[in-house]
Amino acid sequence: MTKRFFSTLCLALLATVTTIWIVACQPNTPPTSNSSSPTSSTKSTAPTTTGSGGGGVKDTLRLGAVLPATGDLSSIGAPMIKSIDFLVDTVNKCGGVLGKPIAYFKEDDRTDPPAGAEATTKLVKVDNVGGIVGAFASSVSTAALAIAVPNKVVMVSPGSTSPVFTERAKKGEFNGYWYRTAPPDTYQALALANLAYKKGARKVATLVINNDYGVGFEKSFVAAFEKLGGTIVNKNKPTRYDPKATTFESEAKGAFGSKPDAVAAILYPDSGGAVIKAAFEQGLTKDVKILLTDGVKTEDFPKLIGNTPEGKLILAGALGTVPGADGKSLDTFTKAFKEKTGQDLGAFVPHSYDAAALIAIAAEAAKDGTGEGIKSKIREVANAPGQEVSDVCEAIKLVKDGKDIDYQGASGNVDLDEYGDVKGSYDVWEVQPDGKIKVIDRVSP
């Protein structure tokens, strides 16, 4: 047995045992299953040291990221990771946090809750981070929080939008260690319901991925659409699909078979694309408006579903909603991100940058890189009163000098309420005949 293999085996056993122990001690948190240790993508921009874990260190900001570099949400997750890379590089070039470069560690959650739990365990127990940006999938954040919260590590998600987190925060389950820079689906579901009704849909079916994100969105959407006077045709037998299934014919028929005016499809790209394609192949999508959400706002998604026999894009004309970005620094950030990465702004990219920025600014304001220190200042630097500032380096300089600030992010004003939530507007996007995605409107809940 080689030393390298032995080390890897020990790390896997540590992650698994720790996850089981922590989850068992969380009576209000759904347990997560365990899997063998995933191949992780870990990077530090400062020398790494192995710690015993427990919420970071006082004199250095040790920042982690748990996002999907692979798996069902990787097409959206990869640009999100680049925005955090950009933030860390920017801050380190202007002096870092607490007088030192940010120590930065990245883990791939593979869009999988057990993998996310193992990744978070490594960040907490081995890398000893004080704050984590992530996760993206709500189900992965649920698993990760079971590790982060008991160990006093702050998590700021740029995209876990399930209303479940608000409900749990109201019960005091997170103790102030949970925040998000994207608004909860309570608001987006209302925006999508308004869009459906505005487009003339009166009978709508729902089709959702069977996890925290899909089911939470479904619940909010049904309530909002019925309040407008619409009917959910499959309310008594909702269509929820397993992303690990191999065939989706019955789910496609369950959502599209009742001939609704529209289908509200809350999906992940790879598995969700298979469901829509199955509906088309059964001849069920004709004259049915397809309504989508943030989870599939990527130009790879229409290509995945493919074309009709006549060569037209199956998904052409589909509409969707996504948390918008309208921060005061959005234009400046968009230009800088393009220059740095060569990529246009994708969904949740500004939200990821702002999540990392808030952790960095809060650590400087607290003069403390631990989770407890970050927690003590994060709402203070995000909210009024204080000098409005959108440049992260300027923000860090001001709080270092003892000034009160109100950080204005690229994604929005990022005002955090007592449950860790922000409010925001939503972009309405449409799939064009050539597969491009175009933002055609903006709506508020």
Side-chain angles (χ1 to χ4, degrees):
M1 183 181 291
T2 66
K3 290 182 178 180
R4 181 177 181 184
F5 177 78
F6 181 75
S7 299
T8 302
L9 179 61
C10 289
L11 180 57
L13 290 173
L14 170 65
T16 302
V17 172
T18 304
T19 302
I20 293 171
W21 180 82
I22 292 172
V23 173
C25 293
Q26 297 298 305
N28 293 316
T29 304
T32 60
S33 59
N34 299 292
S35 65
S36 59
S37 180
T39 300
S40 61
S41 172
T42 307
K43 176 183 177 182
S44 172
T45 57
T48 62
T49 58
T50 301
S52 60
V57 295
K58 191 172 180 67
D59 64 351
T60 305
L61 175 59
R62 302 177 69 80
L63 175 69
V66 176
L67 290 167
T70 60
D72 215 349
L73 289 173
S74 59
S75 58
I76 299 177
M80 295 167 69
I81 296 167
K82 287 188 177 182
S83 74
I84 305 169
D85 298 346
F86 180 37
L87 180 283
V88 172
D89 184 58
T90 298
V91 170
N92 285 347
K93 284 181 177 177
C94 66
V97 174
L98 303 172
K100 299 177 182 178
I102 298 172
Y104 176 35
F105 308 88
K106 297 187 285 188
E107 291 293 326
D108 177 12
D109 65 35
R110 300 186 295 173
T111 324
D112 178 65
E118 289 187 15
T120 306
T121 298
K122 179 185 177 297
L123 289 174
V124 171
K125 292 296 182 181
V126 178
D127 300 320
N128 201 14
V129 299
I132 294 173
V133 178
F136 182 32
S138 293
S139 56
V140 177
S141 283
T142 295
L145 280 164
I147 289 91
V149 171
N151 286 281
K152 299 181 179 179
V153 173
V154 168
M155 281 184 63
V156 184
S157 171
S160 290
T161 53
S162 171
V164 168
F165 298 111
T166 305
E167 296 167 9
R168 293 182 62 193
K170 288 179 178 178
K171 296 175 184 176
E173 292 183 27
F174 301 140
N175 299 320
Y177 288 99
W178 164 257
Y179 303 91
R180 48 186 169 183
T181 50
D185 286 330
T186 312
Y187 303 119
Q188 186 178 182
L190 179 56
L192 189 69
N194 286 335
L195 177 63
Y197 205 82
K198 181 181 178 182
K199 293 297 180 181
R202 296 297 181 266
K203 296 189 301 177
V204 172
T206 56
L207 167 64
V208 308
I209 186 170
N210 193 14
N211 63 12
D212 287 349
Y213 166 61
V215 175
F217 198 115
E218 173 195 78
K219 179 181 177 182
S220 297
F221 177 84
V222 168
F225 192 66
E226 288 184 333
K227 189 173 182 179
L228 291 171
T231 300
I232 303 297
V233 297
N234 61 341
K235 179 180 178 180
N236 295 329
K237 194 176 180 181
T239 306
R240 299 168 181 171
Y241 76 91
D242 179 358
K244 295 182 180 179
T246 55
T247 60
F248 299 98
E249 284 77 10
S250 61
E251 290 85 355
K253 187 174 182 180
F256 289 85
S258 56
K259 298 182 180 180
D261 300 325
V263 170
I266 295 86
L267 318 168
Y268 284 175
D270 291 349
S271 56
V275 184
I276 300 296
K277 190 171 184 177
F280 172 78
E281 289 172 347
Q282 294 180 69
L284 300 174
T285 58
K286 185 179 180 181
D287 299 324
V288 179
K289 177 64 71 175
I290 298 175
L291 303 172
L292 303 167
T293 59
D294 51 319
V296 294
K297 187 182 177 286
T298 165
E299 292 182 355
D300 291 335
F301 185 60
K303 297 175 186 175
L304 177 68
I305 297 172
N307 297 328
T308 69
E310 296 76 29
K312 296 181 180 179
L313 204 65
I314 293 171
L315 210 59
L319 297 172
T321 54
V322 64
D326 58 0
K328 293 183 178 181
S329 62
L330 180 61
D331 289 344
T332 300
F333 172 74
T334 302
K335 182 179 179 181
F337 184 78
K338 175 80 171 182
E339 290 176 352
K340 180 71 175 180
T341 67
Q343 294 183 350
D344 294 324
L345 229 57
F348 298 104
V349 166
H351 304 79
S352 302
Y353 182 90
D354 287 340
L358 286 172
I359 291 173
I361 299 166
E364 186 66 62
K367 295 179 172 52
D368 186 344
T370 67
E372 289 182 284
I374 295 164
K375 166 189 166 182
S376 72
K377 290 292 184 179
I378 192 165
R379 289 191 64 211
E380 186 177 309
V381 302
N383 298 356
Q387 179 179 334
E388 290 190 358
V389 55
S390 57
D391 180 88
V392 66
C393 290
E394 182 184 356
I396 289 172
K397 182 178 183 301
L398 287 169
V399 297
K400 186 177 182 179
D401 293 340
K403 304 289 178 61
D404 292 331
I405 70 158
D406 175 9
Y407 176 66
Q408 302 289 300
S411 63
N413 61 24
V414 293
D415 287 346
L416 300 169
D417 69 18
E418 64 268 40
Y419 308 118
D421 288 341
V422 296
K423 292 183 179 179
S425 60
Y426 294 88
D427 291 337
V428 177
W429 51 276
E430 182 179 42
V431 179
Q432 303 298 297
D434 62 357
K436 299 291 185 182
I437 289 177
K438 181 180 180 182
V439 174
I440 60 172
D441 199 2
R442 175 164 290 172
V443 294
S444 297

